[in-house]
Amino acid sequence: MITTLPADLLAAESMVLEALQASLRDQPLGRWEVTLKFEGLKLMPVAIRLMQNLQENGFEPVLVWPDMGGAALAKHNAPELANQISSLNDLLDKQNGNDDDRIFLVVAPQPTDYEQFELLCNKHSGAVVMLNGRLEDSAVGIGGVARQRRRGFLSLWRKAYWLEPLESGALMRSHPGEWILFRADVDGYRETTTFEQRPDAEAIDAALFGT
């Protein structure tokens, strides 16, 4: 079981690939989340490298951007992969609901993309991986629409990998392992405790500070 934090971004990406492979073995047609919560993280190179790594390991990924500009820039940065890069709208137009072995790697979908993204996932019979997505909309609040979304589409998603720096530590989850909370000590990060489910802020503070 992984009990140490990755030393750098590339090490984290290696862990992401390992976690995704385990996730896709467990649920080949699943809906999986990958979240790297680093401030200022440039997702373009991360997404392209993840796509390449999946391809090298026998998968058929399609890199999907919510907007046409993102897709165009990705094609410019990785012209050798241009045929496997698409925008959300373009991919929706091409989906016909047939059996599909491709993995849709969707980069940072936002609440404004919710309806189109849900439609794409409903039309796609293969796996979908969401990289640094944020689908919950604070504007929707706690009303009936939000509850319906949480019970429906949002409830389908499982976390393949999560890495989040905290003020006094870090939180990590790598499928199929538990959530691991690390405390930042003077000599480095040290595992403090584990959780079966993602801990809330109160549980994190209690584990780190005994509050």
Side-chain angles (χ1 to χ4, degrees):
M1 179 179 293
I2 297 171
T3 57
T4 58
L5 287 170
D8 53 30
L9 179 59
L10 289 180
E13 291 178 24
S14 178
M15 292 174 65
V16 166
L17 179 63
E18 184 177 342
L20 267 182
Q21 288 176 304
S23 302
L24 293 168
R25 284 195 299 267
D26 288 348
Q27 287 192 12
L29 307 181
R31 304 305 186 231
W32 292 101
E33 293 181 58
V34 171
T35 301
L36 299 168
K37 297 199 76 171
F38 295 110
E39 186 175 351
L41 177 66
K42 295 181 179 179
L43 276 179
M44 178 73 69
V46 174
I48 290 174
R49 286 194 296 265
L50 180 54
M51 180 186 181
Q52 291 171 326
N53 288 333
L54 286 170
Q55 204 167 47
E56 290 169 2
N57 281 271
F59 297 99
E60 296 182 43
V62 177
L63 191 59
V64 186
W65 295 84
D67 60 285
M68 295 180 63
L73 183 57
K75 290 179 180 181
H76 173 78
N77 290 345
E80 72 282 4
L81 301 173
N83 290 336
Q84 287 80 48
I85 297 174
S86 178
S87 69
L88 193 57
N89 277 338
D90 285 345
L91 197 55
L92 264 174
D93 291 340
K94 298 174 184 176
Q95 282 300 100
N96 55 21
N98 293 333
D99 290 342
D100 197 335
D101 292 330
R102 297 177 299 170
I103 296 172
F104 289 171
L105 175 57
V106 186
V107 184
Q110 300 299 302
T112 52
D113 308 309
Y114 184 96
E115 292 183 0
Q116 288 180 306
F117 184 44
E118 181 182 20
L119 180 59
L120 177 69
C121 291
N122 289 340
K123 293 176 69 175
H124 181 51
S125 59
V128 181
V129 175
M130 177 169 55
L131 175 62
N132 277 31
R134 186 178 68 84
L135 295 179
E136 295 220 39
D137 189 352
S138 58
V140 173
I142 58 175
V145 173
R147 289 194 296 271
Q148 183 179 11
R149 286 183 175 185
R150 292 191 187 102
R151 288 195 300 265
F153 182 59
L154 294 178
S155 69
L156 302 177
W157 293 87
R158 298 181 62 190
K159 291 174 174 57
Y161 189 84
W162 182 284
L163 183 57
E164 178 181 5
L166 305 171
E167 184 176 351
S168 300
L171 181 66
M172 183 178 75
R173 199 259 171 163
S174 183
H175 182 84
E178 295 183 310
W179 291 81
I180 305 175
L181 180 64
F182 297 86
R183 184 180 62 243
D185 293 333
V186 293
D187 57 346
Y189 287 86
R190 184 168 287 106
E191 179 183 341
T192 300
T193 187
T194 61
F195 302 86
E196 290 187 4
Q197 304 294 329
R198 179 186 169 188
D200 58 18
E202 185 177 345
I204 290 173
D205 285 346
L208 290 178
F209 310 114
T211 58

